[in-house]
């Protein structure tokens, strides 16, 4: 089966970054809290992802975060079916995320975000394909369901609308997922799981992704300023290119490990 290096990792970029609130104990398990941070991750196919977040507040009830991220890899190695580090640009992302505290016992906080996502059309195994870049603008909303109603787990339904260019052709679509977070013990460690579905279509292009993700995160210092972050992603992405080629992506299991520093 022909394989194109355009997996659900770029689509998952429209999910909200893990954030924590400045004035409280650092808790990245809650996606509706914001905190200044930096992170470095390495994937199982030897991509390196670097990100940073800055935060602020408009009022006591409205906080915000700005997020930027870039990914580099080795195009030549991927074309040869190997995994090795490199500095070839793969993709990037910028996000503005704003959280509103509500006087609502069932849904105490909601967040809205605007994402700009860019994918190199000739990254990885697509090198030399002549495909144009993919650039998407996404607007989404996320809510925290009060754990009192979910047996102690935190649940965050998320929906987003996206529009832009897929391989240089106009397309739009949507993404749906449900984040579920469960604390592990008293140290702050937690496990987070979420299914995700994404689809964008245009007159001559289409992109569809399905995945299931599991993250395990644990603090390395007592003050929770340093975290070890691990992730497993099981899924696939199918695309239709402007030339009419339909490419079914292999179902893959990918791993990611990294460090986050909270300031």
């Amino acid at each position: 089966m022909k394989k194109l290096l355009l997996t659900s990792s770029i689509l998952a970029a429209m999910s909200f970054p893990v954030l924590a609130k400045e004035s409280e104990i650092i808790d990245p398990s809650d996606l509706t809290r914001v905190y200044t941070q930096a992170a470095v991750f390495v994937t199982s196919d030897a991509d390196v992802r670097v990100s940073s977040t800055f935060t602020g507040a408009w009022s006591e009830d409205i906080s915000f975060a700005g997020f930027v991220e870039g990914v580099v890899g080795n195009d030549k190695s991927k074309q040869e079916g190997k995994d090795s580090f490199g500095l070839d640009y793969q993709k990037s992302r910028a996000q503005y995320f704003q959280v509103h505290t509500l006087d609502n016992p069932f849904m105490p906080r909601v967040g809205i975000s605007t994402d700009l996502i860019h994918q190199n059309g000739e990254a990885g195994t697509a090198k030399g394909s002549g495909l144009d870049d993919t650039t998407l603008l996404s607007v989404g909303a996320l809510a925290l369901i009060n754990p009192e109603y979910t047996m102690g787990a935190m649940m965050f339904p998320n929906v987003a609308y996206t529009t832009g260019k897929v391989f240089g052709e106009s397309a739009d679509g949507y993404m749906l997922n449900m984040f579920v977070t469960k604390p592990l013990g008293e140290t702050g460690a937690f496990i987070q799981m979420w299914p995700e579905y994404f689809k964008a279509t245009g007159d001559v292009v289409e992109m569809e992704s399905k995945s299931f993700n599991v993250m395990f995160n644990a603090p390395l210092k007592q003050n929770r300023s340093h975290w070890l972050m691990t992730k497993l992603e099981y899924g696939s992405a199918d695309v239709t290119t402007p030339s009419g080629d339909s490419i079914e992506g292999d179902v893959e299991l990918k791993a990611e490990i990294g460090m986050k520093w909270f300031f």
Side-chain angles (χ1 to χ4, degrees), residues 59-136:
S59 69
E60 291 185 359
D61 296 327
I62 303 175
S63 56
F64 67 85
F67 175 82
V68 292
E69 177 181 84
V71 179
V72 295
N74 191 318
D75 291 340
K76 183 178 179 180
S77 291
K78 290 176 181 177
Q79 289 182 307
E80 296 173 349
K82 303 176 182 178
D83 296 327
S84 60
F85 295 108
L87 296 176
D88 298 318
Y89 169 72
Q90 307 292 301
K91 56 196 173 187
S92 59
R93 170 190 173 205
Q95 181 194 68
Y96 174 78
F97 181 51
Q98 183 167 297
V99 179
H100 295 252
T101 300
L102 306 178
D103 186 17
N104 186 315
F106 179 74
M107 190 179 295
R109 287 188 297 277
V110 298
I112 56 174
S113 74
T114 301
D115 280 86
L116 182 63
I117 303 160
H118 181 263
Q119 164 85 34
N120 182 358
E122 293 196 347
T125 57
K127 190 71 175 180
S129 65
L131 289 171
D132 291 332
D133 293 354
T134 292
T135 304
L136 298 172

Side-chain angles (χ1 to χ4, degrees), residues 150-230:
T150 56
M151 296 180 292
M154 286 189 287
M155 299 183 67
F156 305 87
N158 173 217
V159 60
Y161 167 77
T162 184
T163 184
K165 300 285 187 178
V166 174
F167 304 129
E169 299 291 337
S170 296
D172 65 351
Y174 61 94
M175 183 190 70
L176 302 171
N177 51 32
M178 172 69 79
F179 297 92
V180 179
T181 301
K182 184 68 176 178
L184 301 174
E186 302 297 327
T187 65
F190 65 93
I191 188 169
Q192 190 172 80
M193 299 174 287
W194 69 98
E196 180 172 281
Y197 177 76
F198 171 86
K199 187 172 185 179
T201 58
D203 292 336
V204 295
V205 292
E206 183 172 322
M207 182 182 293
E208 184 178 28
S209 168
K210 302 173 185 177
S211 67
F212 184 79
N213 304 267
V214 178
M215 289 182 66
F216 172 75
N217 307 307
L220 298 180
K221 298 185 70 174
Q222 190 172 5
N223 65 359
R224 301 190 184 183
S225 62
H226 297 56
W227 285 70
L228 176 67
M229 321 288 281
T230 60

